[in-house]
Amino acid sequence: MNQYQTIPPDTIFRLNDEFKADPRPNKVNAGIGIYLDESGKPFVIPIISKIAASLDFKNFNYLPISGDTTFLDESAKLIFGNNLYKKFNNKLAKQGVVGGTNGIYLWANLIQSIDKNPTIIISNPTWENHNKIFENFGFNIIEFPQLDKNNNFNFKALEKNILNNPNSYILFQGGPTHNPTSVNPSDTEWKLLSKLLKDNNNSALFDFAYAGLGDNFESDCFGVRHILENKIPVSVNFSYSKNMTLYQHRTGILVILTDNNKEKLILESNLKFLFRINNSTPPAFGELIVKNILQNETYKKEWLHTLSEMSASLKKRRQLFNKYTNNRFKFILNQKGFFSLINLNPSQIETLKTKHAIYLLPNSRINFAGMALEQIPYVAKAINSI
C-alpha cells in the first residue's frame, strides 16, 4: 500500500471544517455553496418540507436502476418544457443520478467507454470538480477564460476555441448563473453558440445546478432548450440540490439526446450498466419528493414561487453588499445566482479569515446566499479595510 500518495483534501470542505472549528462568535462562512435564509438559518423550501413529512415509508425496496419512471419523465418535462418534451422524448435517454457530481462522473465514464481520447472545452474558472472528474477519465481539457476584462461573458474566447476544436465536447453551466463567476451567455449569445456548435459538429454538456435561481425558471432554461430545439447533440446533468434544497439527499437526472428511439434504448442500457457497477440504484427519498412536487400543479406552483423569492433575496443581498463596499464591486449587480468573484489576492483572503473570521474560497468566490443580511455590512467593511 506504500505506492499511494496523500491527496490534498477538498478545498471547499476543508474550508468548511476550518469554519466549524473556529470559536469566534462573529464568524461568517461565505465559502460553501448553500442557501441560508436572510437571518442566516438553514433553509428548506416549505413545500419540500411538507411533502417530505407526508411520505409514507412502508416500502424501502430498491428503485429501478434508472430511477423512478415518473421522476425521470417529469424532470425531463421540467427541463425542456412540455412542447419539446413531446417532440423529443422518444430520443431522450434518462438516468437518475446521485446528485450533480455523480451525473458528471457518469457522463464522463460513458464517453470514455467509447472514446479513449475525448476533448472537452471548459471555462476557466469553473467548479473545481469538473476538472478533477475529466482529468480522472483522461479527457483532453481545453480552457477558455469565462470573463473578459469588463467581467462580461467572454464570447470571443469561446468562439475561438470552438472554431479551433471541431468535433469536441463543450461544458456549459445552465441558465444565467455560473459557479463561480455568476456570468453566462445572454439569450443572443446562446443563439450564436447554437449555430457555432452545429457548424463545427460540437456536442454540448450542460451542468445545470441552479435552475430557477437566476432570472426565473423558464428563462433560465432558454439556452438548453434552444440547443435541443436545433437538434444539436446535447446532454443535461440536472441537480435538485440547490433549487429544491435537497443537498444531502443527492437527487438529480442525466438526460442525453440520441438520434432515434433504438439508440435511446441502447444508450439507456449503457447508462444502467455503468450506474449499476458504481452506485447500484439511485436514492429514493429525493426522487419521491421531486416526483410529488412536479406532478401536482399546486405544489409545483408553490415551489416555483419560493424560487422567485429566493432569487429576489439574492438580488437584495448583492445590493446591500454593493452599498457597503461603496460600488467597489459594482459588477456584481449584473450577475445572477449565489456567487461572484471579487478578485482578492491570497493574502487578503487569509487576512479576512485570521483577522475578521470571514471565510472565502482561495479563488475569492463569495457566496451571497450563505450570508445573513445583518452579516453583509460587517463582511463588506472588513473587505474595504484590507
Side-chain angles (χ1 to χ4, degrees), residues 305-323:
H305 177 70
T306 304
L307 282 184
S308 68
E309 292 180 329
M310 293 166 69
S311 294
S313 179
L314 289 170
K315 291 175 184 175
K316 183 196 299 185
R317 299 181 208 199
R318 287 179 179 276
Q319 290 166 352
L320 191 62
F321 182 81
N322 182 64
K323 174 184 175 181

Side-chain angles (χ1 to χ4, degrees), residues 19 26-31 356-360 370-372 375 378-379:
F19 172 80
N26 63 330
K27 62 184 180 179
V28 180
N29 189 347
H356 301 283
I358 296 169
Y359 288 74
L360 300 182
M371 294 187 289
Q375 291 176 323
Y378 170 72
V379 172

